[in-house]
Amino acid sequence: MILDLHAPRQPLIWPGLALFLALFETETAWELLKLDLPEHLQQQGWQSIRQTLHAGGALQVIQAHSR
């Protein structure tokens, strides 16, 4: 199970997320927002991948099983 940031679906959430990233994260966090994590996990061999979005899409929970 993974809990991670995700590019928000709600435009009103972007300013708060941008402030959070500027204060507490590095440039790497911005790059990870562009990554399709479920797709990346699938390419790495993970199976039964299930993604749910929360907080207007700004948070993602991903569940997956290894082979």
Side-chain angles (χ1 to χ4, degrees):
M1 182 176 285
I2 299 171
L3 172 65
D4 199 8
L5 296 174
H6 185 270
R9 305 270 191 225
Q10 301 290 333
L12 295 175
I13 295 176
W14 271 108
L17 180 60
L19 179 61
F20 174 82
L21 292 174
L23 293 174
F24 301 109
E25 296 288 346
T26 64
E27 190 64 31
T28 304
W30 284 101
E31 293 301 316
L32 289 174
L33 284 178
K34 300 173 189 174
L35 178 67
D36 183 347
L37 191 52
E39 176 66 27
H40 182 71
L41 290 171
Q42 184 178 20
Q43 292 173 359
Q44 299 303 312
W46 290 85
Q47 301 174 349
S48 303
I49 299 168
R50 190 174 127 226
Q51 176 192 47
T52 55
L53 299 177
H54 303 276
L59 294 174
Q60 62 181 334
V61 175
I62 300 172
Q63 297 173 313
H65 298 276
S66 63
R67 292 183 184 182

